[in-house]
Amino acid sequence: MPEFDPRRSGAGRAPAATLRLAGTGLGAALLLMMVIAAVGARSMLESAERSAWVEHTLEVLAASENARALLNRVEIGQREYLITGDAWRLTRSEILQREAGAAISLVGRLTAEIPRQQERVRELTALVVERQEIASALIEEKRRSGTAPGRADVARERRSRTVMDSTRELLDTMQKEERALLEQRSADLQVNREFALALVIFGSVSAMLVLLGAFALLRREISERLRAEAALARYADETDDLYNRAPCGYHSLDARGVIVRINDTELAWLGYARDEVVGKLLFRDFLTPDSRGVFERSFEAQKQSGVVPNLDLTLVRKDGTTLPVSSSASVIRDSDGRYVMSRSTVFDLTERSRLQQDLDRIFELSQDLVCVAGADGHMKRLSPAWERVLGHTVEEVIAQPFIDLVHPDDREATLAAFDHQLDSGESVISFENRYRCKDGSYRVLLWNSTPVPRDGCVYASARDITERKRDEEALLAAMQASEASNHELEAFSYSVSHDLRAPLRAIDGFSRILEQDFAEKIDAEGHRLLGVIRRSAQRMGQLIDDLLEFSRVGRKALSRRRIDMRAMADEVLRELVPADTAKQTSWQVGSLPDALADPALVRQVWANLLSNAVKFSGHREQPRIEVGSRNENGEAVYFVRDNGAGFSMQHSNKLFRVFQRLHGDDEFPGTGVGLAIVERVVSRHGGGAWAESLPDGGSTFFFTLRGKGEADGDA
Amino acid sequence: MATHEPIEILLAEDNSADAELALRALRDSRISNTVIWVKDGNEALDYVLRRAAYRDRATGNPRLVLLDLKMPKVDGLEVLRALKSDESTRSIPVVVMTSSHEERDLVETYRLGVNSYIVKPVDFEQFVAVVASAGYYWSVVNKVPA
């Protein structure tokens, strides 16, 4: 979902400007319509006026025509009277005369506003009066004379006709004037109507265009607003979603502490439905009594200060179980600074509490002396092991600079190490010093510590190595003693070899000189006895040599190298079996894996085993020696087999002991050291030696050499 | 052989029995007509360096020194060190004859420049053979700077 920023709606132009523009457009359109309406109205009024004028003019024309007709009939009637003398004619003329007067005065009323016509009406009236006077005079004459008019009457009659003609002319002029006026007014009206029409059309089109523009603007604005509203709705949905599904709890409290809003997460923690809680329950209802106290105090303070730092609280769920949380809140106020509600964030501390518990246990249960030391040289926190090992209470240790507890001789080094690690940030590994116990004795502590210079503290753990140290010292003393005794032994061996051999050499040498220089004076028995002396001396010399060799094998430092065992066995055999007897002794060397061992010592093993084989099979007509190997559990087992004298297995336990022999010296000469040397060499290599044999059935001697690569190269 | 120039061998040996056997071996093998037997290291050095009792002896180095290692006062190693560190005596062949085959003696004597290291056998015949062959080789066959 693309990110939405409600501030960006309105696509470039500020909505206010758009609205202003649309408003201006609408205003202009309105004004135009008003103008059009005014023009229209005026046009209508003018049209009505024109109609009135036309009617009026027609009335004037009709009235004047009527007046003309009446006047004619009056004149005709009077004339007929004059001719006939019929009175009724005269009467009718008098009636018509009055009607004509009424018609003329009607014309006068109708043309009241036109001075020229009024003038004419007056002239007309005057002409009518003049003619009437003439007519009256004539009629009087008639009545009096009862005859046709005389000469004077003819003049009067002529005059009457002239007046009558003037009257008619005047009426014509008036009618003509009225008609001209009508035409004039109609033309004026036409011009006005066309102008009004043009104005209305132009105004309407303009107003329509302006309206269309305003409409387009409004439409765009509206669609943008709709879009913005949709986006806002989406945004609101998303915010709602975030609010509700946040990994932490949110709630808002009113001034009384009633929950007015709460998110799904916190509801789920508590196990309640929203409508059970919102507006109904107080937040304090969800707290354990202890937490309630903590909360109430901070809630009051919070209303004043506006913020609440992290509070560790314990919530009680619907099912009665508890949940450790950390809550922080901020207060929302209205514009007058009055409390509206507080908004809180709640974090689940279950995992943290468990970790904390583990950490505490590690700390509390540690056998080592764990501590946190501050840069001020005081311990800040100590594990209970301190009290157990040193006897001081934790408070006692914390109360004094820790250096006071360090042995005076160790203080300088301790402080140097402490300061260095705070300066450098480097850990100190295996630092040793002594701490004073409650009883005044000292314990040796072996320290590993890591500084956190930023926090100005050092995390350290120490192990009480007093006993180990004591053991080490004892071991060292024992080793020194052992070394001393080894030296003694060496000195002893040296003097044995030197001092014991010299007399033996003298015994042998002088016996020999006796044999040589006094040969005639000594009889056969004397020579035999001298021979016994010499053999004994030589045998003792051999014993001493072997014993020294045995001792040397035990003392020599091992230097392991890869050994081609087959080549070595082969070489030793060739040296042991003289060329002339090789024909009689049949021997074969099978495949032997290489060994990683001390070549000089292993050579000694081969020499001793093979010389034994040669020696003990020497009596056989067909001496046979076989050298081989086999693999037992991945370990190379070498063996030397002969078909010689053999021995009883019940004595096999003595085989590898020094000076132990299973055969008499007369039968098979030897000192009984060879196999003891073999055993010592292989056991020094971590291997072993053993034998299988039957009396007179030959023997097989086995040995192993434990060492890397010994099973390799099985070629 | 008496007409030949004397072949002088110095035998340093505190054990008189060993010394007698060695002298007999040298005599029987007819290598030397002059064997000077001294019983400790100090006397050996006195002889070679013409000191003390030997102050007046004729000049010249012995043809061979047979040297026992374990001797009272000054032991064989010290004698060897003294002879081999002195320009005038360095060329004298020194054969160490000892009763024991001690690795560290062997190493030390070779480090000091011994010419030969012999373990005296208990068996008399072997002893004679060893002494005679060593004496013969070093005093007759071997040539040293004059």
Side-chain angles (χ1 to χ4, degrees):
Chain A
M1 187 176 291
E3 201 176 320
F4 173 74
D5 182 353
R7 289 169 302 177
R8 285 212 315 250
S9 71
R13 193 187 301 135
T18 311
L19 277 180
R20 226 167 17 244
L21 196 63
T24 309
L26 281 175
L30 196 63
L31 199 66
L32 270 171
M33 309 252 289
M34 280 165 71
V35 169
I36 292 164
V39 170
R42 208 183 108 204
S43 180
M44 270 173 70
L45 282 174
E46 279 178 349
S47 182
E49 207 177 338
R50 184 203 62 176
S51 297
W53 271 110
V54 171
E55 211 173 310
H56 184 74
T57 306
L58 288 177
E59 265 183 82
V60 171
L61 287 174
S64 59
E65 198 59 42
N66 193 27
R68 183 202 298 262
L70 286 172
L71 286 175
N72 278 342
R73 281 178 69 189
V74 167
E75 193 200 5
I76 292 166
Q78 286 171 345
R79 201 171 296 184
E80 283 172 351
Y81 173 73
L82 289 180
I83 296 166
T84 63
D86 293 340
W88 60 274
R89 292 194 195 265
L90 193 61
T91 307
R92 196 178 58 180
S93 289
E94 283 169 2
I95 292 165
L96 289 172
Q97 177 73 35
R98 280 194 299 271
E99 281 181 17
I104 290 167
S105 47
L106 177 65
V107 170
R109 278 201 307 278
L110 287 173
T111 58
E113 74 279 12
I114 305 168
R116 206 163 50 245
Q117 295 289 57
Q118 288 288 308
E119 185 65 27
R120 288 194 184 109
V121 170
R122 271 192 302 273
E123 275 178 41
L124 187 65
T125 306
L127 285 175
V128 169
V129 168
E130 189 184 348
R131 203 207 61 88
Q132 188 61 35
E133 281 170 355
I134 296 167
S136 293
L138 283 175
I139 290 165
E140 202 51 44
E141 199 57 43
K142 174 74 181 181
R143 226 182 254 155
R144 215 172 9 114
S145 62
T147 60
R151 249 194 260 126
D153 290 345
V154 172
R156 285 189 184 120
E157 230 167 282
R158 206 179 288 132
R159 175 72 192 151
S160 173
R161 279 194 196 112
T162 308
V163 170
M164 197 62 204
D165 288 342
S166 297
T167 302
R168 284 186 200 107
E169 276 172 26
L170 199 58
L171 278 171
D172 283 347
T173 310
M174 279 183 71
Q175 286 182 347
K176 202 175 157 191
E177 172 97 15
E178 272 308 304
R179 281 193 193 96
L181 202 63
L182 182 65
E183 268 173 36
Q184 171 70 38
R185 285 183 174 158
S186 293
D188 283 356
L189 264 180
Q190 187 67 25
V191 169
N192 273 353
R193 219 173 25 243
E194 278 169 8
F195 176 74
L197 188 64
L199 196 67
V200 166
I201 289 171
F202 172 77
S204 297
V205 168
S206 301
M208 208 140 44
L209 285 176
V210 171
L211 274 176
L212 274 174
F215 177 72
L217 273 176
L218 280 174
R219 200 182 128 111
R220 201 175 70 186
E221 180 62 22
I222 285 166
S223 72
E224 269 165 15
R225 283 200 175 224
L226 284 174
R227 246 200 334 268
E229 269 166 30
L232 266 173
R234 271 204 311 279
Y235 183 72
D237 283 352
E238 208 176 322
T239 311
D240 256 16
D241 196 52
L242 276 176
Y243 179 82
N244 273 320
R245 295 211 246 163
C248 57
Y250 293 125
H251 63 248
S252 304
L253 306 180
D254 67 12
R256 287 182 301 137
V258 174
I259 295 178
V260 293
R261 204 175 169 206
I262 185 166
N263 75 343
D264 290 353
T265 308
E266 194 170 344
L267 280 171
W269 287 350
L270 293 169
Y272 284 86
R274 188 177 300 282
D275 52 13
E276 290 177 287
V277 175
V278 174
K280 294 176 184 162
L281 292 178
L282 297 162
F283 183 62
R284 66 191 297 278
D285 297 340
F286 297 107
L287 296 173
T288 58
D290 285 352
S291 292
R292 205 169 288 164
V294 174
F295 169 73
E296 296 288 355
R297 276 193 299 281
S298 95
F299 190 54
E300 289 313 313
Q302 164 198 345
K303 286 186 197 167
Q304 307 302 319
S305 68
V307 282
V308 170
N310 286 337
L311 279 184
D312 281 0
L313 302 171
T314 306
L315 298 178
V316 181
R317 293 188 173 100
K318 196 174 190 180
D319 64 9
T321 56
T322 58
L323 178 72
V325 297
S326 163
S327 169
S328 54
S330 57
V331 166
I332 300 164
R333 298 182 192 283
D334 63 16
S335 52
D336 298 330
R338 280 191 300 269
Y339 177 96
V340 175
M341 61 177 176
S342 77
R343 206 183 264 159
S344 305
T345 311
V346 183
F347 289 99
D348 181 357
L349 294 185
T350 313
E351 183 66 8
R352 210 182 80 184
S353 309
R354 207 178 55 72
L355 287 175
Q356 186 61 44
Q357 193 176 38
D358 285 349
L359 281 175
D360 285 349
R361 282 193 183 152
I362 289 171
F363 192 79
E364 302 294 330
L365 301 178
S366 170
Q367 295 298 318
D368 288 344
L369 286 67
V370 185
C371 66
V372 183
D376 61 358
H378 280 266
M379 295 294 187
K380 302 298 176 203
R381 198 178 167 196
L382 297 165
S383 67
W386 279 78
E387 191 165 345
R388 216 163 46 233
V389 172
L390 297 181
H392 308 286
T393 64
V394 166
E395 291 72 26
E396 283 168 352
V397 177
I398 288 176
Q400 58 191 314
F402 67 78
I403 199 68
D404 290 358
L405 285 172
V406 176
H407 192 285
D409 295 348
D410 295 344
R411 283 181 188 167
E412 196 179 330
T414 302
L415 285 177
F418 186 73
D419 292 345
H420 174 73
Q421 64 180 332
L422 272 177
D423 291 345
S424 66
E426 289 166 16
S427 294
V428 167
I429 306 294
S430 297
F431 179 80
E432 224 177 272
N433 64 8
R434 288 162 288 178
Y435 266 68
R436 193 176 64 245
C437 298
K438 187 89 171 169
D439 63 8
S441 65
Y442 282 91
R443 306 294 294 180
V444 184
L445 301 182
L446 182 69
W447 290 90
N448 286 328
S449 66
T450 300
V452 180
R454 190 187 49 208
D455 298 343
C457 62
V458 173
Y459 293 83
S461 104
R463 182 157 294 181
D464 178 11
I465 57 161
T466 313
E467 271 72 36
R468 196 177 92 190
K469 194 86 179 160
R470 199 173 292 154
D471 293 348
E472 273 174 13
E473 275 160 13
L475 188 64
L476 193 66
M479 275 172 66
Q480 282 164 349
S482 158
E483 206 169 314
S485 84
N486 254 344
H487 278 297
E488 270 173 48
L489 189 65
E490 238 171 281
F492 174 72
S493 306
Y494 189 81
S495 58
V496 162
S497 70
H498 196 276
D499 296 348
L500 293 189
R501 278 159 58 98
L504 288 173
R505 197 159 46 247
I507 293 167
D508 185 69
F510 287 102
S511 303
R512 179 64 185 151
I513 291 167
L514 201 59
E515 274 185 331
Q516 286 176 352
D517 293 3
F518 302 94
E520 313 89 59
K521 293 177 183 171
I522 299 171
D523 61 9
E525 180 60 9
H527 280 293
R528 190 189 67 81
L529 293 175
L530 279 173
V532 172
I533 291 170
R534 287 194 64 204
R535 274 198 304 281
S536 299
Q538 283 163 15
R539 178 163 168 71
M540 187 162 174
Q542 189 61 50
L543 280 170
I544 290 168
D545 285 350
D546 288 353
L547 191 57
L548 285 173
E549 183 62 27
F550 179 68
S551 144
R552 197 162 26 240
V553 165
R555 283 183 284 128
K556 184 181 185 296
L558 284 188
S559 112
R560 286 185 189 260
R561 275 185 217 123
R562 182 168 290 280
I563 301 169
D564 181 347
M565 293 290 264
R566 181 177 178 158
M568 182 179 272
D570 220 45
E571 196 181 305
V572 171
L573 253 178
R574 281 177 202 288
E575 285 169 10
L576 283 171
V577 184
D580 56 335
T581 60
K583 289 167 194 163
Q584 295 167 16
T585 306
S586 74
W587 47 278
Q588 68 172 61
V589 178
S591 82
L592 301 178
D594 288 356
L596 196 65
D598 188 301
L601 294 180
V602 173
R603 190 183 186 83
Q604 184 88 55
V605 168
W606 284 120
N608 292 4
L609 290 178
L610 291 170
S611 64
N612 273 358
V614 169
K615 183 162 70 183
F616 289 104
S617 63
H619 294 304
R620 298 286 174 190
E621 295 203 352
Q622 287 286 314
R624 210 171 52 245
I625 298 171
E626 186 192 346
V627 179
S629 74
R630 63 185 192 215
N631 188 314
E632 279 180 16
N633 305 323
E635 193 171 50
V637 177
Y638 305 92
F639 63 84
V640 175
R641 181 172 292 142
D642 66 58
N643 64 342
F647 54 88
S648 166
M649 285 299 282
Q650 71 180 100
H651 303 300
S652 62
N653 58 336
K654 291 184 177 176
L655 264 180
F656 295 96
R657 294 192 200 156
V658 73
F659 295 140
Q660 294 288 339
R661 304 203 69 223
L662 300 182
H663 298 276
D665 197 45
D666 295 339
E667 199 181 357
F668 295 105
T671 56
V673 177
L675 287 179
I677 288 176
V678 167
E679 204 283 331
R680 185 167 266 204
V681 169
V682 297
S683 68
R684 286 203 64 202
H685 281 85
W690 65 98
E692 287 169 5
S693 185
L694 279 174
D696 214 29
S699 313
T700 308
F701 285 86
F702 302 92
F703 70 93
T704 60
L705 296 165
R706 190 158 297 153
K708 287 177 292 176
E710 68 191 17
D712 296 353
D714 192 7
Chain B
M1 301 272 294
T3 56
H4 291 171
E5 57 167 322
I7 293 179
E8 210 174 64
I9 293 179
L10 178 67
L11 174 66
E13 172 63 82
D14 66 321
N15 184 317
S16 55
D18 270 3
E20 190 178 342
L21 292 174
L23 288 170
R24 184 180 174 101
L26 291 170
R27 191 196 67 209
D28 288 357
S29 60
R30 299 164 191 277
I31 292 165
S32 164
N33 46 15
T34 316
V35 177
I36 296 93
W37 172 33
V38 295
K39 293 190 176 179
D40 63 57
N42 194 42
E43 202 180 340
L45 289 175
D46 283 349
Y47 181 83
V48 176
L49 303 173
R50 299 172 65 233
R51 302 187 311 203
Y54 301 97
R55 192 187 304 120
D56 301 325
R57 78 162 176 91
T59 57
N61 286 332
R63 185 66 65 88
L64 173 67
V65 174
L66 293 174
L67 187 64
D68 188 19
L69 285 183
K70 199 162 172 274
M71 289 188 295
K73 296 178 187 169
V74 175
D75 71 14
L77 284 175
E78 287 174 82
V79 173
L80 179 64
R81 188 177 298 118
L83 294 182
K84 290 299 180 187
S85 60
D86 188 322
E87 195 61 44
S88 66
T89 57
R90 184 176 296 155
S91 59
I92 306 171
V94 177
V95 174
V96 162
M97 295 184 41
T98 173
S99 292
S100 65
H101 164 195
E102 266 308 311
E103 191 70 19
R104 51 166 199 208
D105 284 347
L106 199 60
V107 170
E108 182 63 11
T109 52
Y110 269 96
R111 195 181 66 79
L112 292 174
V114 77
N115 296 82
S116 201
Y117 185 102
I118 290 170
V119 177
K120 291 180 270 188
V122 167
D123 184 280
F124 178 67
E125 268 88 24
Q126 288 178 31
F127 179 77
V128 170
V130 165
V131 171
S133 62
Y136 180 73
Y137 176 80
W138 285 109
S139 61
V140 179
V141 179
N142 189 49
K143 294 299 173 204
V144 296

